[in-house]
Amino acid sequence: MDRQLGAADSVAADSVAASTFSEVVVDVQPSFNADVHSHLRHSRNSINSSASAADNKKGRWENLVLAYKTLGVVFGGLVTSPLYVYPSMPLKSPTEDDYLGIYSIMFWTLTLIGVVKYASIALKADDQGEENKSRLGKFFEKSILARRILLFIAMLGMCMLIGDGILTPAISVLSAMDGIRAPFPSVSKSLVEALSAIILIVLFLMQKFGTSRVSFLFSPIMGAWTFSTPLVGIYSIIHHYPGIFKALSPHYTFHFFWRKGKEGWLLLGGTVLCITGSEALFADLGHFNRSSIQMAFLFTIYPSLVLTYAGQTAYLIRHPNDHEDGFYKFIPKSVYWPIFIIATLAAIVASQSLISATFSVIKQSVVLDYFPRVKVVHTSSNKEGEVYSPEVNYILMILCVAVILIFGEGKDIGNAFGVVVSLVMLITTILLTLVMIMIWRTPLLLVALYFLVFFTMEGVYVSAVFTKIPEGGWIPFAISFFLALIMFGWFNGRQKKIEYELTHKIDLERLGTLLSDPGVQRVPGLCFFYTNIHQDGLTPILGHYIKNMRSLHKVTIFTTLRYLLVPKVGPEERIIVRKLGLKGVYGCVIQYGYADTLNLEGNDFVNQVTDCLREHIEKYLDCLPSNSIDIQEEISALEEAKLSDVIHVRGKTRFYIGKNCKRFDRIMLAFYEVLHSNCRSALPALSVPLSQRIEVGMLYEA
């Protein structure tokens, strides 16, 4: 942990050290003073105006280019699903009518959930709506229990996405590598599993180098896959079953369930995999615009999947017992090896997309204080979203390899995958319904129609996959539930800290009263006291420190670290200082981007801050020449303090869980303390010399 942060290590651990007043933090709540507000507004306005100008220049051609790029980033998991959908189904002596019914179900699942729900409705949820408050919204504002339940549901959905990052690499690579066994029957299943595990281990070990150098290959690879599989599908349709498209009629879906009954319902655990990865349509709105994603899905991905599944089904109707290898068996021998190579590369790209998405989700969760601090490294100096977390990476690698080696059978992994896919769909429907009511103010009739159709459809899918929990489906559910518990426990603890600190904050008037006490001495030296300067208040630890130490350094600079979503912060905006109205007391905000070097070791940092502070003080000399003597004394005191001694003070807090604390809060705060004591500390990541570091402990009464 004690290391210097460079551009490669990035400020990640610090940037993600979103904490409260008591710790070295990334201040994600603009609150220091008018100067900082004006700097931030200027930066944001510049970004917004640049974005608006760029948007105005985007024409049809640029949207086409963006749509092409989405193939390698957004749709990897979805478009590679034909590799494992049919092998995941527990089919028993399937007939022509069975296959027609299954294809009809997949077609309408792709159409209703993919086209209608995600591409047409969910993509509108881009944070651009007005904040209207309905009765339901007021209910959530008043009910703590309702807010907690909603928060936990949202966290569970996000954790399911992380679970997707575990299962997609496992099932994609394993299904792609299984193609070796068709031309070489002597190759055992165990060898395929071992080769798949080796590929994934290499993929995970390469994450620390980033994807910038090879990302330009992602779209061509996925483009080759997206356009080659439907061509094979068309060939299969013509040669095996030209009438396959009659199954587009919903009649075949209803007829399938009428004939198969419970067996047909259980098969939904496999058919649901045809829509896996569709949540990426709206999850990647931050990287691509709505038009490009819709264009790519509606004109390439959706037709590709419809034709590929049609070709697979046409082949299986003529060869009904080949469903356990439903993809490679329908590939003509003349193009078998090119398709195998493309499939393997596409599976790796799909895996990379989900791994990168998992890193991004974890990073955003940490920044927003929903997840304990982990090390996050920016692997690109110009792409804020390209990140890597060593801890998360190795945990994902272990889990992915374990899934392959323990549940190597495609059906078992498919059962686990089905739980993730179906629950993410259902949670998305619930949250979108709330968005429609509370934010969009959609007519209740349309909301009811949307909820009835999709909740019923996805509820049936969930009920089917839940029967698979004993057969491997418990894995992602257990992982997701555990992650959601961690996130909820951490967020709840951080909120309790914020509430305590807002209640017991030290404002400037209170600080002046403390310093006016004759028993409090102003000792020589320069002190950097790390704190959030929030709503005109400072951390309660400051009062705790002064009362017990009975002293404060003659020059004390309350320092806040603020992480900005830009590559580099300009020198003129890096350090912002101001006088706080008390003798020898100043405020300082250090702003930095993800490609900046943040190093508090040595004299460079101290010199930079004191130089900025001297310039700030000298401005008063120009404005108030009558006070030149006082200003000169202030500058001299600053120089004298710097030469005397420099220390860095931070707070370290814990909760004191008293007898009056409710049982729920007692359990959650105890869990939070366990998480807090085992997560990464923020100050060591800033490379502050040990000899200059002081930690002040304080108990917060819960």
Side-chain angles (χ1 to χ4, degrees), residues 72 75 87 110 140 188 282 300 369 405 562 609 636 670 675 687 689:
F75 301 107
L110 285 167
F140 278 106
S188 66
F282 66 90
T300 58
D369 241 355
L405 298 182
R562 175 171 287 132
V609 174
S636 299
L675 296 175
S687 297

Side-chain angles (χ1 to χ4, degrees), residues 556-592:
T556 301
I557 302 175
F558 295 107
T559 306
T560 297
L561 306 177
R562 175 171 287 132
Y563 171 68
L564 302 180
L565 298 179
V566 295
K568 289 182 177 292
V569 175
E572 69 283 356
E573 295 183 345
R574 171 65 67 87
I575 299 174
I576 303 172
V577 296
R578 69 163 293 187
K579 298 177 67 174
L580 294 183
L582 297 172
K583 183 178 180 180
V585 178
Y586 308 94
C588 172
V589 172
I590 301 172
Q591 302 184 130
Y592 59 97

Side-chain angles (χ1 to χ4, degrees), residues 361-631:
V361 167
I362 292 291
K363 178 232 176 185
Q364 293 297 332
S365 299
V366 176
V367 169
L368 295 173
D369 241 355
Y370 282 93
F371 201 83
R373 290 186 297 271
V374 294
K375 180 181 178 181
V376 179
V377 177
H378 286 272
T379 57
S380 172
S381 60
N382 53 18
K383 293 181 180 178
E384 192 274 335
E386 192 171 308
V387 294
Y388 159 73
S389 172
E391 294 99 333
V392 175
N393 183 63
Y394 293 124
I395 291 173
L396 285 178
M397 180 179 73
I398 292 171
L399 291 175
C400 282
V401 173
V403 165
I404 286 179
L405 298 182
I406 298 174
F407 302 94
E409 180 63 35
K411 289 184 177 62
D412 291 334
I413 301 179
N415 292 336
F417 209 9
V419 172
V420 172
V421 174
S422 58
L423 279 176
V424 168
M425 291 193 306
L426 191 64
I427 291 172
T428 303
T429 293
I430 294 172
L431 296 179
L432 273 177
T433 302
L434 294 177
V435 168
M436 289 178 176
I437 296 173
M438 298 170 61
I439 300 178
W440 295 346
R441 304 300 293 272
T442 306
L444 290 180
L445 182 62
L446 293 178
V447 175
L449 179 62
Y450 164 82
F451 185 78
L452 181 65
V453 170
F454 289 103
F455 188 83
T456 302
M457 180 180 180
E458 294 163 359
V460 173
Y461 269 125
V462 170
S463 66
V465 299
F466 265 40
T467 64
K468 307 294 184 182
I469 287 181
E471 303 171 17
W474 60 271
I475 302 173
F477 190 78
I479 292 173
S480 300
F481 188 84
F482 181 66
L483 286 172
L485 183 63
I486 289 176
M487 295 178 73
F488 186 78
W490 180 264
F491 179 76
N492 181 70
R494 305 305 285 180
Q495 290 300 106
K496 293 290 184 183
K497 271 198 167 187
I498 291 175
E499 290 173 8
Y500 183 91
E501 291 176 339
L502 288 177
T503 304
H504 298 83
K505 65 184 179 183
I506 304 295
D507 56 24
L508 294 179
E509 182 180 353
R510 173 65 176 154
L511 178 59
T513 303
L514 290 172
L515 295 179
S516 63
D517 186 340
V520 176
Q521 303 295 319
R522 299 298 296 271
V523 297
L526 173 61
C527 172
F528 288 91
F529 205 116
Y530 292 93
T531 172
N532 269 355
I533 302 177
H534 180 74
Q535 296 182 359
D536 298 323
L538 301 170
T539 170
I541 292 180
L542 175 61
H544 180 68
Y545 175 81
I546 294 175
K547 286 179 181 178
N548 288 276
M549 301 297 293
R550 308 300 295 169
S551 66
L552 189 69
H553 285 74
K554 287 186 177 180
V555 176
T556 301
I557 302 175
F558 295 107
T559 306
T560 297
L561 306 177
R562 175 171 287 132
Y563 171 68
L564 302 180
L565 298 179
V566 295
K568 289 182 177 292
V569 175
E572 69 283 356
E573 295 183 345
R574 171 65 67 87
I575 299 174
I576 303 172
V577 296
R578 69 163 293 187
K579 298 177 67 174
L580 294 183
L582 297 172
K583 183 178 180 180
V585 178
Y586 308 94
C588 172
V589 172
I590 301 172
Q591 302 184 130
Y592 59 97
Y594 55 84
D596 277 322
T597 299
L598 186 65
N599 183 11
L600 305 189
E601 187 173 12
N603 295 323
D604 289 343
F605 166 75
V606 175
N607 290 334
Q608 289 177 31
V609 174
T610 52
D611 288 347
C612 289
L613 196 53
R614 188 188 305 107
E615 291 177 7
H616 182 76
I617 296 172
E618 288 174 350
K619 289 181 181 179
Y620 285 87
L621 181 61
D622 298 333
C623 300
L624 302 171
S626 59
N627 295 337
S628 59
I629 296 177
D630 293 338
I631 293 173

Side-chain angles (χ1 to χ4, degrees), residues 84-90 171 269-270 273 323-324 410-411 413-415:
Y84 46 78
V85 170
Y86 271 115
S88 299
M89 295 184 191
I171 196 170
L273 297 180
H323 57 85
E324 292 191 356
K411 289 184 177 62
I413 301 179
N415 292 336

Side-chain angles (χ1 to χ4, degrees), residues 18-25 369 494 497-498 501 531-532 653 700:
S19 91
T20 52
F21 306 126
S22 58
E23 300 175 351
V24 179
V25 297
D369 241 355
R494 305 305 285 180
K497 271 198 167 187
I498 291 175
E501 291 176 339
T531 172
N532 269 355
T653 64
Y700 286 180

